[in-house]
Amino acid sequence: MSRDAKSMSAHSQATRSHKPYLRSTSIQCYLCLLLNSHFLTEAGIHIFILGRVSAGLPKTESNWQYVIKDLEKIENLIQSIHIDATLYTESSVHPNCKVTAMKCFLLELHVIWQESNNMDVRETIENLIILANKSLSSNGNVTESGCKECEELEEKNVKEFVRSFTHIVQMFINTS
């Protein structure tokens, strides 16, 4: 294998393992480009347009699985580094308040990002925020009443925060 091919393969593997939010969209775009270049007919144009539209559709069920994997990675990484922070944490969220709770968790992730100098933690948090926001986009306009504001939640350490965050994500997985 040539040096350029190895480099492209390594870059492709790195992209797949660190940025799963780009996986399906990039594959669909490449497929569209391939189809468009070979089928410059009316049918080819329709396929191209449908491919572009499908690339933008939410894929929430698979994104939540990647959020769980990123949370597991963060949990493993924070065991080796010391982050002395307390974070607003929803321990017992009501199912009718899960979107509000998720938004609070995502806001608090920024605190971990700022407190950590570890690039793996920072990259994983950035990826997690993108994935979770993309998954939340289908619930983004939901208004939940009677839910606690972020500042009303109990402050807990990072490990407890990650455990509770994982529980909230599981609620989204179980209802999708």
Side-chain angles (χ1 to χ4, degrees):
M1 188 182 281
S2 73
R3 193 175 96 173
D4 291 335
K6 286 180 184 178
S7 173
M8 288 294 285
S9 175
H11 174 70
S12 173
Q13 289 172 350
T15 303
R16 277 192 303 247
S17 64
H18 295 294
K19 302 203 185 308
Y21 60 89
L22 293 177
R23 287 182 188 155
S24 61
T25 304
S26 62
I27 290 170
Q28 290 170 343
C29 288
Y30 288 128
L31 180 60
C32 287
L33 289 172
L34 176 70
L35 289 172
N36 194 30
S37 66
H38 290 292
F39 303 105
L40 291 176
T41 63
E42 188 176 338
I45 292 170
H46 284 109
I47 291 171
F48 177 76
I49 291 170
L50 289 173
R52 294 297 302 151
V53 169
S54 71
L57 294 175
K59 295 157 185 65
T60 57
E61 63 283 342
S62 62
N63 286 342
W64 288 122
Q65 293 297 333
Y66 292 123
V67 169
I68 290 285
K69 288 181 182 185
D70 282 345
L71 282 168
E72 290 170 355
K73 185 175 179 180
I74 289 171
E75 190 171 29
N76 291 332
L77 289 168
I78 62 173
Q79 289 177 6
S80 62
I81 59 176
H82 180 70
I83 299 176
D84 188 28
T86 56
L87 307 159
Y88 294 118
T89 305
E90 177 65 86
S91 300
S92 57
V93 70
H94 189 277
N96 293 337
C97 293
K98 67 182 182 181
V99 173
T100 302
M102 179 59 71
K103 289 178 181 179
C104 290
F105 276 107
L106 293 174
L107 286 172
E108 289 297 287
L109 273 178
H110 292 284
V111 174
I112 298 173
W113 189 90
Q114 290 173 340
E115 292 285 325
S116 176
N117 294 327
N118 185 300
M119 287 310 293
D120 285 338
V121 170
R122 286 179 162 215
E123 286 177 7
T124 305
I125 287 173
E126 289 171 7
N127 191 55
L128 191 152
I129 290 171
I130 291 168
L131 289 169
N133 279 324
K134 185 175 179 183
S135 296
L136 268 182
S137 66
S138 61
N139 297 327
N141 295 333
V142 173
T143 51
E144 300 171 321
S145 59
C147 303
K148 292 181 182 179
E149 296 292 322
C150 298
E151 295 78 21
E152 296 176 302
L153 301 173
E154 187 178 343
E155 291 187 49
K156 296 193 176 183
N157 67 34
V158 176
K159 288 181 183 178
E160 302 249 347
F161 172 83
V162 172
R163 275 190 230 120
S164 293
F165 197 160
T166 303
H167 176 71
I168 298 286
V169 174
Q170 289 292 345
M171 289 176 73
F172 278 94
I173 291 171
N174 293 335
T175 58
S176 58

